[in-house]
Amino acid sequence: MAEAHQAVAFQFTITHEGIDLHLSYQALNQIYLSGLRSWKKRISRIKNRIIKGVYPASPSSWLFVVIAILATMYMQSDPSMGIITKIRETIEAIEVLSLSAQGQTVLSVLLFSTLLWLSLILALRFCLKLLLSYHQWMFELHGRISTKTKVWATLVRLLSSRKPLLYSYQTSLPHLPVPSIKDTLERYLESVKPLLDVAGFQRMTRLAAEFEKSLGNRLQKYLKLKALWATNYVSDWWEEYVYLRSRSPIMVNSNYYGMDFLYVTPTATQAARAGNTITALFLYRRKVNREELNPSRIPGTVIPLCAAQCERMFNTTRTPGEETDVLQHWQDSEFVAVYHRGRYFRLWVYRAGRLLSPREIQYQIQRILDDPSPPSPGEDKLGALTAGNRMPWAQVRKQFFSSGVNKRSLDCIEKAAFFVTLDDQEEGMMGENPSVNLDRYAKSLLHGKCYDRWFDKSLSVVVYKNGKNGLNAEHSWADAPIVAHLWEFTLATDAFHLGYTADGNCRGEIEHSLPPPQRLSWDIPLQTHVSESLAVAQALADDVDCHVFPFREFGKGCIKKMKMSPDSFVQLALQLAYYRDRGTFCLTYEASMTRLFREGRTETVRSSSNESCAFVLALEDREHCRKLFRKAAEKHQNLYRLAMTGSGIDRHLFCLYVVSKYLGVESPFLKEVLSEPWRLSTSQTPVQQMELFDLVNHPEFISLGGGFGPVADDGYGVSYIIMGEEMINFHVSCKHSCTETDSHKFGSQISQAMMDLMTLLNPDFKEATKANPDKQS
């Protein structure tokens, strides 16, 4: 409808008397205000580029340097050691510049001051980069910090004293280092030793030695060359080969989900919840665009994390290709794409350069809900194309969506800020069987009906009939902590800052002259292709077994009292649970971030270690348990720190494998390493923005976190979020087709393992739990 308004801004008719011109001043005003918003954004971007370009200095510091140099010159002293005189002589030689002697002096001082100022900025930035390259502080014991680390922390605080923008630290972050071949192979062999028998370990040791002596050093040289040239030697290959080149469905296999509050639904009105959720997401996008968000940091420190993944959060779509997909990002988008009962709409959320109020967006959403029009032929299940295999979708897109009405409608979806599904189902922890309903809620967010989500969009928001909401995120553009940060902000802003009226509606006024949402049109002679993709997706969705449960017996507060890392505690509980479930140990993946480095993403923590396996076996035999438990926890923490600081195993081996493919050479060692299945894939969802509301005074606003599908067909996917001091929420997934896995059974094993480990550390815990039965309810 915006195009229609702009089209009638100018109307003219040709008569025998000449041209009769009619102007729509209302439409012209809208065009003017929209243009004004665009120019304001451009000016804001230029301003931010200047501010972050001179960080850790400030633009005003230039004036200070100029005044200081002028004051020194006034005192008959030359701080430039003759450079200003040389600049003045050069200016005198330029005949075009007819300046007085005083003007030449002032210009020379300005030029020298600017050069000095830029040099100081580069020096400060270099110093900050050197300081941020120091990671030894992570390996020091709590309460035993060295003098070197204390001096380092003071210097970092001094250089970070100015309030930074979101991307201010980007150029000061160090590059990800390439570990030595020897160190990586030693760590790899150490990680697989407890998983192999004697003959298998000897074979892998021999393959690793042959690789190191022959092909390894050659591949390492190419990798070091890339590290010198590229910002990050891993991230671009990781994005392309792990995500974009995958030809299997991204639904379940790659995309992941985020859930609503566990106990609370701020409103039961679907349109109102959608109105506030959409508004909160656009407020977050505004903060990203203006760089008003504080840079993420290591909790409890001033150490910044890379923010590069925020750049493609909105207005981004993964478009299919026959060999590889492509991530497309647009600078701006003033609308969202909405799906309801088989129909697609374009909903404009800006009018005349103004973001609509939550009440106005609710009004527009209600129009969609009340629209009685049926889907056009083939429209209702069109989204299944994004849920099936990538090759057929690429071919169909090229054949049927390259021109005409289909291309225009597809552009509306792909160029939207994000995708919204208005779901007719009711979800959440409700009814007589809340546990089963939670599991159904997780499956709904993970795959839905396989055609009512647009899985290619960076973000797909789902709002259910009873007011519950959730999120499905495409994985290639960013990792879960980035989306978790966004979703925390969205939920908190929705419930605590935007709020609702007493009758459950959004706040704000309505401009009733708003044009209705635009229904997208399609000409779809491809029902067979849609049906084939839907069949593939439906089989995958039906095979997924999900179980979500809040563990309420204790949380991180109780674990920390035992002087142990909560993450290490949970990981060891998972090792114990898996051993009890399967009677063996397995290669375990825990996602760690490498955002201490520029454009860093993730690294693998191989949580199944010699120490963890020894502890689990000892626990089952009840010998030397407590000492081994702490030793295993310390080992896990050390592995996590190594991964965070660029000394992990798997990304290095992955990049060496990519280089070998480019060179056309085969490595039996790398081939075997890269084909090993991750039967236990785990990830902790971080809680990053507790300042948005007080969880102590509002404990009912606990988030459920999110989850993902199993990585291996015969394995488990486990996500957990440590909420507050007294709860840990778990999301377990596996496949029905594997007779050896069961998400509910494994969930019970996790709960029992958590209780057993706490009882091991604190023998009085079980009695205390029995004395407080409310804790378990």
Side-chain angles (χ1 to χ4, degrees), residues 284 306 309-310 313 477-486 595 688:
Y284 190 90
C306 179
Q309 294 177 57
C310 295
M313 187 175 289
W477 64 274
D479 301 304
I482 301 297
V483 176
H485 193 278
L486 159 75
R595 290 168 58 210
Q688 305 165 85

Side-chain angles (χ1 to χ4, degrees), residues 192-242:
V192 297
K193 187 175 182 179
L195 310 177
L196 300 172
D197 56 24
V198 175
F201 182 70
Q202 288 176 348
R203 176 175 167 276
M204 285 307 301
T205 303
R206 177 175 49 79
L207 287 175
E210 290 173 358
F211 173 74
E212 183 181 2
K213 290 177 183 176
S214 57
L215 189 58
N217 288 323
R218 181 185 171 196
L219 301 180
Q220 180 81 342
K221 288 175 183 176
Y222 281 98
L223 206 54
K224 286 187 174 181
L225 184 63
K226 187 194 175 187
L228 288 172
W229 178 256
T231 307
N232 189 296
Y233 79 92
V234 175
S235 294
D236 56 338
W237 284 349
W238 187 253
E239 180 179 297
E240 180 179 358
Y241 292 104
V242 172

Side-chain angles (χ1 to χ4, degrees), residues 41 45 48 284-291 332:
K41 288 184 71 174
R45 286 195 197 104
N48 286 342
Y284 190 90
R285 189 184 75 163
R286 179 187 290 173
K287 285 181 173 289
V288 171
N289 289 342
R290 295 178 178 176
E291 301 185 38
D332 194 17

Side-chain angles (χ1 to χ4, degrees), residues 458-501:
S458 57
L459 302 169
S460 293
V461 178
V462 185
V463 184
Y464 295 97
K465 189 177 180 179
N466 61 339
K468 274 291 176 190
N469 68 6
L471 182 79
N472 183 285
E474 199 278 316
H475 207 326
S476 63
W477 64 274
D479 301 304
I482 301 297
V483 176
H485 193 278
L486 159 75
W487 196 235
E488 279 182 46
F489 177 92
T490 301
L491 293 178
T493 302
D494 167 23
F496 290 94
H497 299 282
L498 297 176
Y500 299 88
T501 61

Side-chain angles (χ1 to χ4, degrees), residues 113-292:
S113 300
T114 302
L115 290 171
L116 178 62
W117 179 65
L118 292 173
S119 301
L120 290 172
I121 289 170
L122 290 174
L124 287 172
R125 188 176 293 170
F126 179 73
C127 290
L128 184 57
K129 194 168 189 172
L130 283 178
L131 289 169
L132 295 178
S133 300
Y134 174 75
H135 299 129
Q136 191 57 41
W137 62 275
M138 293 189 69
F139 298 88
E140 295 182 355
L141 295 175
H142 184 69
R144 298 182 186 177
I145 302 173
S146 65
T147 304
K148 181 181 178 181
T149 297
K150 289 178 181 178
V151 173
W152 164 82
T154 303
L155 292 173
V156 171
R157 286 192 183 91
L158 285 173
L159 286 177
S160 307
S161 57
R162 276 195 61 243
K163 180 175 172 58
L165 298 176
L166 176 61
Y167 302 120
S168 289
Y169 288 109
Q170 290 303 103
T171 54
S172 300
L173 292 173
H175 288 198
L176 183 68
V178 181
S180 71
I181 286 278
K182 183 179 179 181
D183 289 346
T184 297
L185 294 180
E186 285 178 355
R187 292 188 188 112
Y188 168 77
L189 291 172
E190 182 186 0
S191 72
V192 297
K193 187 175 182 179
L195 310 177
L196 300 172
D197 56 24
V198 175
F201 182 70
Q202 288 176 348
R203 176 175 167 276
M204 285 307 301
T205 303
R206 177 175 49 79
L207 287 175
E210 290 173 358
F211 173 74
E212 183 181 2
K213 290 177 183 176
S214 57
L215 189 58
N217 288 323
R218 181 185 171 196
L219 301 180
Q220 180 81 342
K221 288 175 183 176
Y222 281 98
L223 206 54
K224 286 187 174 181
L225 184 63
K226 187 194 175 187
L228 288 172
W229 178 256
T231 307
N232 189 296
Y233 79 92
V234 175
S235 294
D236 56 338
W237 284 349
W238 187 253
E239 180 179 297
E240 180 179 358
Y241 292 104
V242 172
Y243 295 116
L244 298 180
R245 282 186 180 262
S246 173
R247 302 294 82 199
S248 60
I250 61 174
M251 183 197 79
V252 175
N253 294 326
S254 179
N255 286 28
Y256 53 95
Y257 65 87
M259 284 182 160
D260 197 0
F261 298 118
L262 176 59
Y263 302 115
V264 174
T265 306
T267 178
T269 305
Q270 185 178 19
R273 192 72 197 279
N276 265 12
T277 301
I278 292 171
T279 301
L281 285 165
F282 272 94
L283 291 176
Y284 190 90
R285 189 184 75 163
R286 179 187 290 173
K287 285 181 173 289
V288 171
N289 289 342
R290 295 178 178 176
E291 301 185 38
E292 293 173 348

